[in-house]
Amino acid sequence: MAKNQRDKDVETTESTGLSRRGFLTRVGVGAVSVAAAKSATAQPTSRAQALPATELSRITLNINGRQRQVLVEPRWTLSHVLREELGLTGTKVGCDRGECGACTILMNGVPRYSCLTLAVEAEGVEIVTVEGLMDRENLGPTQEAFLTEDAFQCGYCTSGQIMAVEGLVRNNPDPSVDDIRTGVSGNLCRCGAYAHIFAAAQRAAAERQGVGGES
Amino acid sequence: MYISDFRYHRPQTLAEAVALLETSRDGVLLAGGTDLLVDLKQGKRFHEDVISLTRIEELHSIELHGDSLVIGAAVTHNQLIHSPLIRQSCFAISEAAATIGTEQIRNTATVGGNLCTAASCADTAPILIALEARVELIGGRGRRTLALANLFVDHRRTALEKCEILSRIIVPVPPAGTGAAFEKFGLRQAANISVASVAVMVRVVDQRCERASFVMGAVAPTPRISGKAAGLVEGRPVSQVSEGSELLERVARAVADDAAPLDDIRGSAAFRREVTATLARRAFEKALSRAVTGVAEGQAGR
């Protein structure tokens, strides 16, 4: 609840420039935090930017086409901020150390592990999460391909698999089976749905090329 | 998994980054973070200051300067793989980068990070050493360059001084008639840590091997150069070292003899030595064929 409240406050700050939390932050920790928040949101200048260790600093993240302001500690990973601060829980955390792939998102169009990326490092980067593949209320083509090919069992790895495939087909419109294996090699599926995942990847590529996915 | 607190710095220039290192008690550089963040999460290390390299532009480019390929330290493995400049002039670098980690890791981890972490199994090191790369180090007292081979002091120890930053890798573009190749053996295809690896460079002039270099990875605390093998090859006509020749077997054995492997979870020392000989033979055959034909198979690929 505290987190939802914080999120709301950030949005409020955006619109009115004056929220209760923003006010408390400024009064409570004083000039240091104001300076930090300023430096974090400022455009790159010739001076090094620094964020303090134990305080929240405001950063702006470009997520699914929207600029989102969020208060973060430097040590928070992007997966944490997406899920716990912004409520984008489509991104899953499995191993939390860059081995399983459940947390895969796109950064500037290529798949990366959001658990191995600090949120502060993602400023200025175009981030796409599985939520960002939706076409309003409808599934996007890659998501639809996973559904059609029944490319999951428990579903926990699925959003990461979908993002890895999305990254693959964006950069390689006609992937071979080997390309697909390489493309999703950073995503583990403990249910073992790999055969269907490969089929879904082929279908996603075909859909993208507009040939209807008869693979 | 939470990471312990740290101050986060985002310098815009190398000079600022060096200054931050100099003023911090235990500052650490953050490039891709695929090693550092895991260590921080597991509580293996703590730092008061983390200095990000993301905004230092010169670290992110791949350029041709005269006869040298200049690779910024924060270039990712996938940038190495897909760079037309690298694929054309030093295809084996792309080849080696493609064997590392997974797609997500290759989009994140950097070549400078791979070198400076200095794990004995680092896969970009052998090929870069074989191609006679140098590295540029920047510190408070200015710039110096070092043969990459001399960067490695021990497993996870480099010749970098406390406040120095590896800024660029400088690879002389191999002249025509040069072939290079990288061969690695691991226990699987993806997220694959080398059990042994061998990079070979050979230069053929008038059907004679004028120069050769054999560099092993993962079979010693640092990347290891086999001088013995190079000595056997240099000066020989191509016909004497071709596939199946007795000399080639001796060369492969010489490389394996120069290894100093350990027993560990990925393989015994004896096994590593055997694998090293096989990899050396394969890598040499491939490099020689590339030197003679001037083409690396797969070079034209995506």
Side-chain angles (χ1 to χ4, degrees):
Chain A
M1 186 216 143
K3 270 159 190 162
N4 288 344
Q5 190 58 44
R6 180 188 298 160
D7 203 23
K8 238 180 248 160
D9 286 340
V10 175
E11 299 278 351
T12 316
T13 312
E14 266 184 285
S15 50
T16 65
L18 234 183
S19 73
R20 184 167 161 272
R21 168 136 198 139
F23 177 74
L24 287 178
T25 307
R26 279 167 177 76
V27 173
V29 278
V32 178
S33 131
V34 174
K38 237 188 216 163
S39 72
T41 50
Q43 287 302 306
T45 61
S46 62
R47 293 213 40 241
Q49 300 165 325
L51 303 183
T54 52
E55 293 159 17
L56 294 170
S57 299
R58 185 185 302 161
I59 63 170
T60 305
L61 297 176
N62 176 347
I63 301 170
N64 300 330
R66 276 183 65 198
Q67 299 291 331
R68 303 287 298 263
Q69 294 206 350
V70 59
L71 293 167
V72 304
E73 289 184 36
R75 67 195 179 107
W76 288 354
T77 57
L78 184 54
S79 55
H80 171 87
V81 168
L82 289 171
R83 289 179 55 83
E84 308 298 333
E85 302 300 310
L86 296 169
L88 293 169
T89 52
T91 301
K92 305 300 179 196
V93 176
C95 69
D96 208 3
R97 50 188 237 185
E99 289 178 8
C100 78
C103 69
T104 301
I105 53 159
L106 300 186
M107 290 178 69
N108 287 340
V110 298
R112 288 181 48 167
Y113 295 134
S114 60
C115 79
L116 273 197
T117 305
L118 295 175
V120 289
E121 292 272 282
E123 267 197 299
V125 171
E126 241 176 66
I127 298 163
V128 178
T129 68
V130 71
E131 291 90 347
L133 301 188
M134 297 290 291
D135 175 14
R136 294 168 192 261
E137 291 299 304
N138 302 316
L139 296 178
T142 303
Q143 294 167 309
E144 195 69 52
F146 271 70
L147 188 61
T148 309
E149 295 293 341
D150 191 21
F152 42 79
Q153 286 184 40
C154 84
Y156 197 81
C157 73
T158 306
S159 28
Q161 301 278 2
I162 288 175
M163 295 316 290
V165 168
E166 178 74 16
L168 172 70
V169 298
R170 281 191 188 191
N171 297 299
N172 179 359
D174 188 19
S176 66
V177 174
D178 268 356
D179 292 340
I180 291 169
R181 283 170 177 274
T182 306
V184 298
S185 63
N187 297 73
L188 299 178
C189 168
R190 293 297 80 171
C191 302
Y194 293 110
H196 289 207
I197 291 168
F198 300 157
Q202 282 173 317
R203 178 176 289 274
E207 291 282 349
R208 233 185 129 73
Q209 289 207 314
V211 299
E214 290 293 318
S215 47
Chain B
M1 258 182 279
Y2 276 95
I3 296 174
S4 56
D5 289 327
F6 57 78
R7 280 185 295 270
Y8 172 77
H9 305 269
R10 199 156 55 196
Q12 313 278 326
T13 66
L14 276 166
E16 286 170 4
V18 169
L20 284 165
L21 279 176
E22 282 174 334
T23 50
S24 167
R25 203 171 55 85
D26 66 353
V28 66
L29 298 174
L30 173 63
T34 54
D35 284 320
L36 179 62
L37 292 189
V38 174
D39 283 357
L40 290 173
K41 283 186 179 199
Q42 295 182 335
K44 284 186 187 162
R45 50 200 288 188
F46 301 90
H47 293 276
E48 283 180 8
D49 293 285
V50 169
I51 300 160
S52 165
L53 302 178
T54 47
R55 297 294 159 88
I56 303 177
E57 262 172 44
E58 62 182 286
L59 297 182
H60 296 270
S61 62
I62 301 171
E63 288 166 4
L64 200 57
H65 287 184
D67 290 339
S68 294
L69 197 59
V70 178
I71 303 170
V75 162
T76 65
H77 290 81
N78 258 344
Q79 285 171 305
L80 290 179
I81 294 169
H82 298 303
S83 157
L85 215 48
I86 292 181
R87 295 185 79 86
Q88 271 162 31
S89 55
C90 300
F91 177 71
I93 297 176
S94 295
E95 188 174 55
T99 68
I100 291 171
T102 64
E103 197 60 13
Q104 290 92 331
I105 296 288
R106 289 187 291 271
N107 281 325
T108 310
T110 67
V111 57
N114 192 238
L115 298 176
C116 291
T117 297
S120 60
C121 55
D123 286 326
T124 57
I127 188 64
L128 288 169
I129 293 172
L131 291 168
E132 296 166 356
R134 299 182 67 77
V135 285
E136 180 186 74
L137 312 179
I138 298 201
R141 280 173 297 171
R143 290 169 193 247
R144 61 176 176 137
T145 68
L146 199 65
L148 174 58
N150 297 333
L151 178 71
F152 302 100
V153 173
D154 201 345
H155 179 58
R156 295 188 178 275
R157 271 192 55 214
T158 66
L160 279 164
E161 282 172 20
K162 186 183 166 287
C163 299
E164 270 185 324
I165 300 176
L166 192 158
S167 53
R168 316 194 280 183
I169 300 121
I170 302 149
V171 189
V173 173
T178 309
F182 176 74
E183 288 284 329
K184 148 176 174 176
F185 178 81
L187 302 179
R188 56 189 181 211
Q189 291 300 311
N192 181 9
I193 297 172
S194 284
V195 170
S197 71
V198 178
V200 173
M201 183 276 288
V202 59
R203 186 165 304 150
V204 174
V205 177
D206 296 334
Q207 290 300 304
R208 199 171 280 276
C209 300
E210 188 191 76
R211 197 175 169 78
S213 178
F214 294 80
V215 188
M216 294 164 269
V219 291
T222 62
R224 203 168 174 91
I225 297 173
S226 174
K228 234 187 279 175
L232 282 173
V233 168
E234 283 174 354
R236 300 287 186 142
V238 168
S239 56
Q240 280 185 22
V241 283
S242 54
E243 207 173 323
S245 67
E246 180 262 344
L247 182 59
L248 182 53
E249 281 315 305
R250 276 171 56 208
V251 169
R253 291 310 334 163
V255 176
D257 286 348
D258 278 342
L262 287 179
D263 291 311
D264 76 5
I265 191 169
R266 281 184 279 276
S268 67
F271 174 65
R272 282 197 152 98
R273 215 182 273 283
E274 280 311 301
V275 169
T276 300
T278 303
L279 295 176
R281 180 161 37 73
R282 286 184 194 160
F284 182 78
E285 284 170 3
K286 209 185 240 184
L288 187 64
S289 141
R290 289 173 179 179
V292 172
T293 61
V295 184
E297 64 275 19
Q299 189 169 11
R302 188 169 62 90

